[in-house]
Amino acid sequence: MTRLREYLRPNTVDQALAAKQERGTTARYLAGGTDLVVFKPADVTCAIDITRLDLAGVHTENGALVIGATTLLRDIERHPAVAGITAGALLEALRETGPWLIRNQATLAGNLCNASPAADSAPMLLALDAELVLSDGRVIALDRFFVGPHRTILRDELVLELRLHPRDRAGSYHKQARSKSDIALVDVAVTARRENGRFTEVRVALACVAPTPIRARETEALLEGRAVDEELLSAVERSVRQEIRPIDDWRTTAAYRSHAAGVLTRRAVAALAAK
Amino acid sequence: MILHLTINGREQAVDCEPYETLLNLLRRVGFTGAKRVCESGECGACAVLVDGRAVDSCIMLAAQADGSRVTTVEGLGDLRDLSAVQTAFADNGAVQCGFCIPGMIVAATSYLEENPEPTEEQIRHVFVGNLCRCTGYVKPVEAVLTAARRMRSGGNGD
Amino acid sequence: MATELRVVGTPARKVDAAKLVTGYGTFTDDFFLPGMLHAKILTSPHAHARITRIDTSRAADHPGVHAAISHHDVARIPYTSAGQSWPEPSPYDQYILDSKVRFVGDYVAVVAAETPEAAEDALGLIDVEYEVLPPVLDMHDSMRPGAPVIHDEPESHGMYDAERNVAAHIEVEVGAVADGVTEADTVVSEDYFVQYQQHTCLEPHVTIAWLDEDGRLVLRTSTQIPYHCRRMVAFALDIPVRDVHVIKPRVGGGFGNKQEVVTEPLAAVLAIKTRRPVKLEYTRRDEFTIARMRHPQHLTMTVGARRDGSITATHMKVLTNTGPYGTHALTVTGNTGSKPLPLYRSPNIRFEADIVYTNLPISGAFRGYGAPQGFFALESAIDEMALALGSDPLEFRRANHIRKGDTDPVSAALAEGSAKKPRVMRSNGLPECLERGSEAIGWTAKRRGGMPLRPNEGPLVRGLGMCCLMQGSGVAGDELAAASIKMNEDASFTLMLGSADIGTGSDTTLAQIAAEVLGVPLEKILVRSGDTDHVTFDYGAYASSTAYITGQSVLKAAEDARRQIVSVAGQMLQEDAEALLVADERVSSSSGKTVTLQEIVMECLYGEEKTLISGRGTHATKESPPPFVAMFVEVEVDIEMGTIRPIHLVTAIDIGKALNPAICEGQVEGAVTQSLGYALTEEIVLSPEGRVLNPTFMDYKILCAADMPKLTTILVEDPEPTGPFGAKSVAEVAINGPAPAIANAVHDAVGIRLRHLPMTPDKVLEALGRL
């Protein structure tokens, strides 16, 4: 059994990168650390604590919300700019990423780097065109960041910050789980701008219905420029079910996930139309 | 590695291994109020305050708390000088086996500092990460409401 | 005694509350002995296998390891881990370490080392070879001809029919059920399936074992049964009982999981072998895989009734999965019949059960002890029958339930204790429970009656359901409790109890009884409990026995002490002892003469006629009066998502006397919450090879604070003449209700019957034809 043998706390990004490059996959960056300590990944013997790298903080910049990588979920929630985005749907999604105690010590960036197919924050972030800024200068859209279950494009790079682009969208978020303290069975987030009763810049994103959190682009196209009526809502429900690839697991069946994803997406769109 | 922590107001230098969790370190230096239940951050029985934030100590490496102020349940009150939250829990039947209670008291105490006038719904939301198998959460939630009321009116109910 | 109660009946603060809220309360693991070793267990990856070769020598040589042992190193003595009175009604089919493994997780070897890390690393150095055997992974296969025999070893005994994998068998009939079915105008007969549920005590199983200065084995352990533990460990290790000392400190939840010797035997063996203190603690994963669970069952419930609403027959047939060992096999399933079946008057009652072995996790005692399963079946069937007859389920139950003064013939036939006389209902507050409970939920106004959904109704539909319940108070004829009280120099008293407070507040409740009788405030009673060297004998915390049985022994001990006090006071006051009153920490005569307890004790200890005030009481009884419950629940069903959301759950419970109302409410609230999980979210999920797939709190879902419906608890008191201050039990009965009440409410809302627990959204949608 591998246990941590080394704990490093570099003071600069360069120091952190050097330490990681030297050790490769035997080292992991640690911010909140909540996933690292629980999952104890095999062969990891070094933790590189990045909380001294001055990467915490939230600010707005040209309409984008910029979240430093080591910002705790609790601090993101409390930032005055956040509650207004999508009139509270983003805040709702953030509060579903884990219990209050966990949000006091976990980071949003860390949650994304863990890349669970069921990441509760991911659908709403995808629906807000989230991007990650990496230490090598690349800016990666979130839906390209996830590669597979618990796999991202990262090698030794550090995530420096997360950028969201709300663009005055309204939003609706639904999570279905066995209890209020559970990994989701299905997560859905829908955002859109509304002009003259029609939806534009529609985003439909889901988690737990594919190897990674995904955008349902065909369903988005179905909604783009349209006004919502009963027929469209039924079409949305059917379209989402076509786009997703849920699996049977011991939590629930693919059939249930598929059914629930359709219902929740329809409800999210209807809620958006009603707002 | 040698850590320097302030635990319940007293500075301590403690030797530890990189893999040791804050929970195990605290229990081994004598603060057994925080409990080992799940070791995966799911139940809150290990909750302590680190620099004023309530966290699950079982999923924090001890090393992460180097240079920090740590407060355990023992630091919130004493047997003959219970805090307002502790008094409320003791008085209204909120304590059954008691194993989840230190974590609940740490979480509640911290939350009331942020929000002195919580609703029942807000308290239940805070307690999502504090699992209990004995009480059904009924009296613990009532205890937090009672403590909040008393603290706002200036007493601690003793 | 003063006619108005001063301490009993009040929601007094628990005697251990202060130390629990400050974190000072010491549980088993909050304790450290110099040189203490840490034990880790090597467990089986196979559901059924023989260990053909095992060599622990490399592990034993690992730095820091003091012992690494297998079945080669332990005497082969069959025993049962089930904590019951002697002779235990469970098969003796377990061995501390065996050469055969019978479920995934079964013990293979154990290591004790100076650090947990060294012990863990040493496990990897144990060489094991298995001959994998075909497993029995479904209880329906256990008795098939040619099924693998799980207990083929000659030394085990007490199984009903080991060749056919039957641990126990029950068959009981009152009247003739076949005739009763024939006489019926309507018959309802259905199958019900209930799952493995895990207790999830927050505190895992943990034992610290060591040899004291006299070479006696000390077990500091998280247990519900200190005295049974002592006897059983002594037996399993073949050492005299007097050489075993069990200490039960604070316990972080038991619920039946600790009504067994789970970690004690292995910890003891290691302590003896290494001559060091050894701590053996289950991880949370161990709790979900190798601790105990509620027995899964397949029940067939048949009810026959006449058009006029009278019941002619009740027939319950059960297949129970006891897992690889028969702990509590006979008695849990005995309760599945004996607790529910007497509830409704029927001239013909039949109960039959096979309790079979499988190579799946171990089933054991779990709050309710077989009754939750039985009530799920019975109360669903009764509901269905009521509606089939065109009756209101409330009225149908009112017309048919057992009455005060009735005799319960089922209990006599099935009684798990040695009492074979029928129970007479000397107290029965069920009518009042039905009245007050139905009003609290709004029964008449809100029932939907399974009406079809109207077109403009949204996807959220509400419904009401109910059930009635009864349990027992202790095991009839098979309980013994004792208490002793000594008076201290400051006129306080020390109450010594063998009972086990596992969070139930029994130390407090029993202290209240003593304080009431002795005329002192609660703070003047110091409680010492659960240490077999220092307190009196008691069977322990199970079967809802402590308040009712130990309570009577405390009453007797306190009355004994009071008699002695009054006798001394009589001499001091020159008054007739008969005419003296004890209250407010003094003894007074009607003429106004008075002497304080403080003065009395000083006289006793240091005065002219020296004596010691010391009271004793023991209690055993053939009675086991049932508490009664009427439970009502309002649910909201989302017919598109399949979710069942309980909105309001009302428990009206007749407990005879609420000795401490806050504790009584807390017991109900906790039991209901555990059962809401049983009904809706909790199940141990197994792989096709018999491995637990969800052994964490994230994956095995118990309810959290934000999931809770509104709970209303109504305490009803119909005094029980045989109970202390009229009290019966409260600890278990409410756990039987939420599953059938919710199933009945779902039927009321949307017209479907769910007979498989837990009632998950996919099952709802399938029953609605929407998936």
Short mmCIF file of all heavy atoms in Angstrom, two decimals, chain C residues 63 80 173 225 272 348 377 490 552 585 614 695:
data_model
loop_
_atom_site.label_atom_id
_atom_site.label_comp_id
_atom_site.label_asym_id
_atom_site.label_seq_id
_atom_site.Cartn_x
_atom_site.Cartn_y
_atom_site.Cartn_z
N PRO C 63 8.74 -6.22 10.65
CA PRO C 63 9.07 -5.32 11.76
C PRO C 63 7.83 -4.74 12.43
O PRO C 63 6.92 -4.27 11.74
CB PRO C 63 9.88 -4.20 11.09
CG PRO C 63 10.41 -4.79 9.84
CD PRO C 63 9.44 -5.86 9.40
N THR C 80 -21.39 -19.57 19.40
CA THR C 80 -22.21 -18.60 18.69
C THR C 80 -21.83 -17.21 19.14
O THR C 80 -21.50 -17.00 20.32
CB THR C 80 -23.72 -18.82 18.91
OG1 THR C 80 -24.42 -17.78 18.21
CG2 THR C 80 -24.10 -18.74 20.38
N GLU C 173 -49.30 -23.31 14.82
CA GLU C 173 -50.67 -23.03 14.38
C GLU C 173 -51.59 -22.91 15.57
O GLU C 173 -51.47 -23.64 16.54
CB GLU C 173 -51.16 -24.13 13.44
CG GLU C 173 -52.49 -23.78 12.77
CD GLU C 173 -52.66 -24.44 11.41
OE1 GLU C 173 -51.94 -25.42 11.13
OE2 GLU C 173 -53.50 -23.95 10.62
N ILE C 225 -24.05 -6.03 25.72
CA ILE C 225 -24.30 -7.22 26.55
C ILE C 225 -23.07 -7.60 27.38
O ILE C 225 -22.49 -8.67 27.19
CB ILE C 225 -24.68 -8.41 25.65
CG1 ILE C 225 -23.74 -8.44 24.40
CG2 ILE C 225 -26.12 -8.33 25.20
CD1 ILE C 225 -23.64 -9.78 23.74
N ILE C 272 -3.87 -12.39 24.77
CA ILE C 272 -3.28 -13.50 25.51
C ILE C 272 -1.99 -13.95 24.85
O ILE C 272 -0.99 -14.23 25.51
CB ILE C 272 -4.30 -14.67 25.58
CG1 ILE C 272 -5.47 -14.28 26.49
CG2 ILE C 272 -3.63 -15.95 26.09
CD1 ILE C 272 -6.64 -15.23 26.46
N ASN C 348 -57.87 -18.33 13.66
CA ASN C 348 -56.97 -19.26 12.97
C ASN C 348 -55.72 -18.52 12.54
O ASN C 348 -55.78 -17.61 11.71
CB ASN C 348 -57.67 -19.86 11.74
CG ASN C 348 -58.99 -20.52 12.10
OD1 ASN C 348 -59.01 -21.48 12.87
ND2 ASN C 348 -60.08 -19.98 11.60
N ALA C 377 -45.29 -6.96 5.93
CA ALA C 377 -46.20 -7.88 5.26
C ALA C 377 -47.61 -7.79 5.83
O ALA C 377 -48.59 -7.63 5.10
CB ALA C 377 -45.67 -9.31 5.36
N ASP C 490 -22.37 11.97 51.67
CA ASP C 490 -23.02 13.28 51.56
C ASP C 490 -24.50 13.15 51.23
O ASP C 490 -25.10 14.05 50.66
CB ASP C 490 -22.30 14.14 50.51
CG ASP C 490 -22.37 13.53 49.12
OD1 ASP C 490 -22.86 12.39 48.99
OD2 ASP C 490 -21.95 14.18 48.14
N GLN C 552 -37.65 -2.26 37.17
CA GLN C 552 -38.28 -2.87 38.35
C GLN C 552 -37.23 -3.26 39.38
O GLN C 552 -37.46 -3.15 40.58
CB GLN C 552 -39.10 -4.11 37.96
CG GLN C 552 -40.45 -3.80 37.32
CD GLN C 552 -41.46 -3.23 38.30
OE1 GLN C 552 -41.13 -2.43 39.19
NE2 GLN C 552 -42.71 -3.58 38.12
N GLU C 585 -35.26 15.19 50.26
CA GLU C 585 -34.00 14.86 50.96
C GLU C 585 -34.13 14.81 52.46
O GLU C 585 -33.17 15.08 53.20
CB GLU C 585 -32.88 15.84 50.54
CG GLU C 585 -32.64 15.84 49.04
CD GLU C 585 -31.47 16.67 48.61
OE1 GLU C 585 -30.34 16.14 48.67
OE2 GLU C 585 -31.66 17.84 48.22
N SER C 614 -27.78 0.08 52.20
CA SER C 614 -27.41 -0.57 50.95
C SER C 614 -28.60 -1.37 50.46
O SER C 614 -29.01 -2.32 51.11
CB SER C 614 -26.20 -1.47 51.22
OG SER C 614 -26.03 -2.39 50.20
N PRO C 695 -20.12 -0.21 0.32
CA PRO C 695 -19.73 -0.22 1.73
C PRO C 695 -19.25 1.12 2.28
O PRO C 695 -18.27 1.16 3.01
CB PRO C 695 -18.58 -1.24 1.72
CG PRO C 695 -17.90 -1.01 0.40
CD PRO C 695 -19.01 -0.64 -0.55
#
